Amino acid sequence: MALPAQAVRTTAAAATTTQYVVLYKEGAAAADARKAIESAGGTVVKVNTAVGLATVTATDAGFAEAVRASAAVQGVARDRVIGTAPDLVKSKREARGAKRDADVEKEGRGGKGRPERPRPTKDEPLSDLQWDMKQIHAPQAHAYEQGDRKVLVGVIDTGVDGSHPDIAPNFDRRLSRNFTVDIPADANGDPIDGPCEEEPDRSCQDPSDVDEDGHGTHVASSIASPINKLGIAGVAPKVTIVNLRAGQDSGYFFLPATVDALTYAGDHGIDVVNMSYYIDPWLFNCVDNPADSAEDRQEQATIIAATQRALNYAHRRGVTMVAAAGNQAIDYTKTNVDASSPDFASEPGEVPRDRTIPASCLSLPGEGEHVISVSATGISKRKAYYSSYGNGYVDVAAPGGDAYDTPDNTRDITKTTLSAYPESLARANGEIDENGEPTVDYVVKDCRGATCAYYQYLQGTSMASPRAAGVAALIVSKYGQRDRRGGMTMSPDRVEQIMKSTATPTACPNPPAYTYTRQLPTGQTATATHVCEGTTAANGFYGAGIVDALRAVTRR
């Protein structure tokens, strides 16, 4: 039974220190906003001046209400309770939880001008396993355009393993940043990222070339693994990857890190960013939903306003932004029920609850302005069973994998997508043995001489988005211009227009109500019906169509 809104929140002890994000009103003097924060009992930790978002700590439970009354402040949202890490036995990796939709991304687990004459390319060793690349004609596109090293692609994710042999040649360690700090536990004492004992200085902040989740590494590899006779090739194998970490080890993505990553991208000449996540703790943010308390509505309104400011900032500075459509298997343009939010306890006693979500609510960054939202396809080109959709929401589709897109609807991991996996994680999880050999069927090893690398199968719109981002990177490489930094630049709106106009138009199923059937390993059968609305040129399953790398770089 759903808990009433008033029962979800409890009053914390007076001595509890809570971290907030305070959004300055546009046009307000920063000094006035800071004065208001301090007068309300808050201490400013840092300020993102591009957006006007301050990170603040306070012990007074009435801080939010007090600061919100200031004419210099637009909104305030709780970030998290700050305290001493609980006495946990679990290490960080053990405490790391597969946050949202990990059951989808892991489901397949068992147990850019240039001469127009094509240049021959040779397949990578594992290319036969990359049905996804074939679906968007990436191998053929590489004969015309493999990307320009001056094109920078920011991976806003859980981090990137910059030492991975199939990422390292294209990884820019100097530009990479980590905008997160590990969170040992939530306000309820439940482990999140776990203790910080793995960092020598116990700073709880990982280096900017580390990924202790694996998600960001998979995304980076999908975009730009080089053609180097090892493993796989990414969609744009010669562009440069920049790690803009905004995700916790545990897979949570919070507002301050997202805003910092986006403004950093705008300030440092990043051409494309991939965002395969939503901003926690709300899957959907609403400003007037009667299912939420007044405090919750104000918090969500702050998230919406701050995120859109950051998206606008990046867009004005030439950043093409690509995002995953979501793995909830729902139509974002309809009324839905969200039972997963708030998914992070920022004060004691807070738990998820059922709430009805009208279509006016926003899942961010995917539903933000200037963002290209990507749905996922399987090997047959059908929309993946888990992929969220919606006519007017989805911009394009791209292969993200569907383990059940098989003739008999049974699970096949090779129908998901294969990309790089940090060796350290494979070892920590017991997925390779002492000799470095995989012990599970979802991990693949490939070697070039004495250099070996590991890859894992995953599926999700998280995997579809980077393939579209890779196409965006090829477009900037092919048609972009030199910028004042000596890099490349191209209008994000033009990139989007080319991506959509060269995508392969894909009609809705006939009939448009498509029923997915999955024969689960348990022996049970799962069915779900999704209704596709729109035309061949633009519909809720595929948007403008399935991205096509070859058509994008040849404009044919």
Side-chain angles (χ1 to χ4, degrees), residues 122-130 133 164-167 221 225-234 418-421 444-449 451-455:
K122 293 184 178 180
D123 290 340
E124 291 290 83
L126 300 181
S127 62
D128 286 347
L129 304 180
Q130 292 186 276
M133 294 284 283
H164 192 285
D166 222 3
I167 291 177
S221 172
S225 272
I227 297 175
N228 59 352
K229 299 182 181 179
L230 176 68
I232 68 166
L418 188 70
S419 285
Y421 188 36
V444 177
K445 176 184 181 181
D446 187 53
C447 299
R448 183 190 61 215
T451 300
C452 294
Y454 296 90
Y455 307 81

Side-chain angles (χ1 to χ4, degrees), residues 8-19:
V8 174
R9 303 194 182 278
T10 60
T11 301
T16 298
T17 299
T18 302
Q19 184 164 293

Side-chain angles (χ1 to χ4, degrees), residues 158-505:
T158 61
V160 176
D161 178 8
S163 65
H164 192 285
D166 222 3
I167 291 177
N170 290 338
F171 185 74
D172 191 323
R173 186 171 279 97
R174 180 186 63 84
L175 274 179
S176 293
R177 295 291 185 274
N178 174 15
F179 300 101
T180 70
V181 176
D182 289 339
I183 302 173
D186 66 11
N188 291 327
D190 295 328
I192 300 298
D193 299 321
C196 304
E197 77 279 5
E198 294 180 27
E199 285 76 35
D201 58 2
R202 298 182 62 82
S203 67
C204 279
Q205 189 162 24
D206 298 320
S208 59
D209 58 352
V210 166
D211 178 14
E212 294 187 332
D213 178 276
H215 192 275
T217 297
H218 198 280
V219 165
S221 172
S222 302
I223 296 169
S225 272
I227 297 175
N228 59 352
K229 299 182 181 179
L230 176 68
I232 68 166
V235 179
K238 286 187 177 181
V239 300
T240 297
I241 288 292
V242 181
N243 175 25
L244 303 179
R245 179 177 167 180
Q248 306 295 137
D249 292 330
S250 50
Y252 288 95
F253 289 78
F254 297 110
L255 178 64
T258 290
V259 168
D260 288 346
L262 285 168
T263 57
Y264 181 91
D267 289 339
H268 291 81
I270 306 300
D271 298 290
V272 179
V273 295
N274 185 84
M275 304 178 289
S276 290
Y277 64 93
Y278 69 81
I279 297 173
D280 298 289
W282 306 95
L283 170 56
F284 291 98
N285 297 271
C286 314
V287 298
D288 56 0
N289 188 355
D292 296 328
S293 68
E295 184 180 359
D296 285 344
R297 295 181 212 176
Q298 291 165 344
E299 180 177 287
Q300 292 167 55
T302 300
I303 293 171
I304 292 171
T307 302
Q308 192 57 58
R309 281 194 202 176
L311 294 172
N312 291 345
Y313 186 89
H315 178 262
R316 289 195 302 267
R317 284 155 179 78
V319 184
T320 297
M321 297 172 286
V322 186
N327 299 339
Q328 299 82 29
I330 58 175
D331 186 336
Y332 273 37
T333 69
K334 311 299 182 185
T335 296
N336 292 290
V337 173
D338 172 25
S340 67
S341 305
D343 62 2
F344 176 84
S346 55
E347 68 176 34
E350 192 168 39
V351 295
R353 64 180 187 270
D354 289 354
R355 61 190 188 123
T356 299
I357 304 297
S360 59
C361 299
L362 300 176
S363 186
L364 296 167
E367 287 193 281
E369 296 175 17
H370 312 304
V371 177
I372 301 169
S373 184
V374 188
S375 64
T377 62
I379 192 169
S380 73
K381 299 184 182 181
R382 76 176 190 182
K383 183 189 75 68
Y385 75 90
Y386 55 79
S387 178
S388 290
Y389 54 102
N391 193 21
Y393 167 51
V394 169
D395 291 301
V396 291
D402 184 337
Y404 294 92
D405 191 0
T406 60
D408 57 359
N409 303 311
T410 58
R411 189 169 63 175
D412 180 352
I413 61 166
T414 67
K415 301 307 182 289
T416 66
T417 69
L418 188 70
S419 285
Y421 188 36
E423 181 178 348
S424 59
L425 279 176
R427 290 193 181 278
N429 295 333
E431 294 158 337
I432 57 177
D433 62 23
E434 63 275 10
N435 297 318
E437 296 304 317
T439 60
V440 291
D441 58 1
Y442 55 80
V443 173
V444 177
K445 176 184 181 181
D446 187 53
C447 299
R448 183 190 61 215
T451 300
C452 294
Y454 296 90
Y455 307 81
Q456 68 169 328
Y457 281 104
L458 291 179
Q459 64 178 11
T461 56
S462 283
M463 286 66 245
S465 182
R467 284 158 177 83
V471 173
L474 289 179
I475 291 170
V476 179
S477 297
K478 182 71 174 179
Y479 308 111
Q481 303 296 320
R482 299 293 182 188
D483 64 18
R484 58 184 177 81
R485 294 184 178 90
M488 301 293 291
T489 189
M490 188 172 179
S491 162
D493 294 337
R494 181 57 175 154
V495 175
E496 180 175 359
Q497 187 273 328
I498 293 175
M499 184 187 293
K500 288 181 175 180
S501 66
T502 58
T504 303

